[in-house]
Amino acid sequence: DTAVSQTPKYLVTQMGNDKSIKCEQNLGHDTMYWYKQDSKKFLKIMFSYNNKELIINETVPNRFSPKSPDKAHLNLHINSLELGDSAVYFCASSLGRTRSGNTIYFGEGSWLTVV
Amino acid sequence: GDSVTQMEGPVTLSEEAFLTINCTYTATGYPSLFWYVQYPGEGLQLLLKATKADDKGSNKGFEATYRKETTSFHLEKGSVQVSDSAVYFCALSDPGRDDKIIFGKGTRLHILP
């Protein structure tokens, strides 16, 4: 039983394309996140949703658009992909807000390569 | 702003050696502190956490104590195994801020048989 699952795990695509990464959690959590991990393993939050409401939107280009159809899903759509978008994207979730010390649970990552 | 600083890697040890990975933080409030581990090709998993000063988190032989006076949360293990080879991330969440968990840059650990 995968707690936080994201698809696809690997994605190779050309510059300029539009792609989506899907994420689903079956933990009953109400808060979901997208993180980006660069080639040096540095992790940075991109978005956070609580009960389908956008809570955090870091300085991410407008080409990145999250969509949360319900509490269990948070998808990431990327328009006009650029070489610099190549990274590992992690979906995550938590029960309640992490500012209360709640644990965040990560998916296994989606390796995006833009060529 | 809030930040987490952890020792640069890679750290290479022999099996059964003692491990310490240093982590210090700055925060405006009283944060919760975490250690996450990332095995090759996988996502991050919570290793342990502590939510208030002097708390000790422990799991799988790893320990870390929340030291408010030194703003530290060093990770230790008495006897490492080859299977502990991974990247370790120190992190904090600050109740005075929104839902940003701040991660350190990660420390890669190699254990030699």
Side-chain angles (χ1 to χ4, degrees):
Chain A
D1 289 343
T2 304
V4 181
S5 59
Q6 47 185 115
T7 56
K9 183 161 185 175
Y10 300 101
L11 180 57
V12 180
T13 188
Q14 290 187 326
M15 280 174 49
N17 283 351
D18 303 338
K19 292 294 178 185
S20 293
I21 307 173
K22 295 185 177 181
C23 179
E24 175 182 6
Q25 53 91 6
N26 62 5
L27 296 168
H29 290 171
D30 55 1
T31 308
M32 295 186 72
Y33 312 80
W34 277 107
Y35 277 81
K36 180 180 180 181
Q37 186 176 45
D38 63 23
S39 59
K40 295 183 179 179
K41 297 290 188 183
F42 187 59
L43 268 167
K44 189 169 166 53
I45 191 167
M46 300 173 68
F47 301 103
S48 164
Y49 272 73
N50 177 256
N51 286 315
K52 302 196 306 175
E53 180 186 350
L54 181 65
I55 301 299
I56 296 174
N57 183 351
E58 285 294 277
T59 51
V60 177
N62 290 337
R63 300 182 294 103
F64 290 79
S65 54
K67 285 189 171 49
S68 182
D70 55 55
K71 286 196 304 184
H73 295 84
L74 180 62
N75 303 322
L76 182 65
H77 188 75
I78 315 171
N79 290 327
S80 304
L81 279 156
E82 300 177 356
L83 293 177
D85 298 332
S86 297
V88 185
Y89 293 85
F90 286 100
C91 180
S93 72
S94 64
L95 181 62
R97 309 286 287 271
T98 54
R99 66 183 176 185
S100 302
N102 295 306
T103 300
I104 188 170
Y105 294 83
F106 285 84
E108 293 191 342
S110 294
W111 271 252
L112 172 65
T113 303
V114 182
V115 297
Chain B
D2 294 359
S3 67
V4 174
T5 303
Q6 58 183 107
M7 61 192 291
E8 299 243 351
V11 173
T12 302
L13 295 172
S14 297
E15 206 166 21
E16 299 183 2
F18 184 86
L19 168 71
T20 300
I21 301 178
N22 290 336
C23 172
T24 56
Y25 67 90
T26 58
T28 53
Y30 296 94
S32 294
L33 302 173
F34 307 83
W35 276 101
Y36 280 84
V37 58
Q38 184 178 26
Y39 298 104
E42 298 184 13
L44 279 74
Q45 304 172 25
L46 178 69
L47 182 59
L48 53 85
K49 70 186 236 187
T51 57
K52 61 183 188 296
D54 299 326
D55 269 2
K56 177 187 281 189
S58 60
N59 186 24
K60 299 181 182 179
F62 291 89
E63 292 183 341
T65 301
Y66 189 141
R67 301 283 187 203
K68 188 169 181 293
E69 63 277 12
T70 54
T71 60
S72 65
F73 193 55
H74 305 322
L75 182 68
E76 296 181 336
K77 186 174 185 183
S79 176
V80 292
Q81 306 300 313
V82 172
S83 57
D84 293 327
S85 298
V87 181
Y88 292 81
F89 293 89
C90 186
L92 71 81
S93 67
D94 188 343
R97 294 174 59 84
D98 50 26
D99 286 291
K100 297 179 187 179
I101 285 195
I102 308 296
F103 285 89
K105 292 189 176 181
T107 302
R108 187 179 296 277
L109 176 64
H110 293 293
I111 305 300
L112 304 174

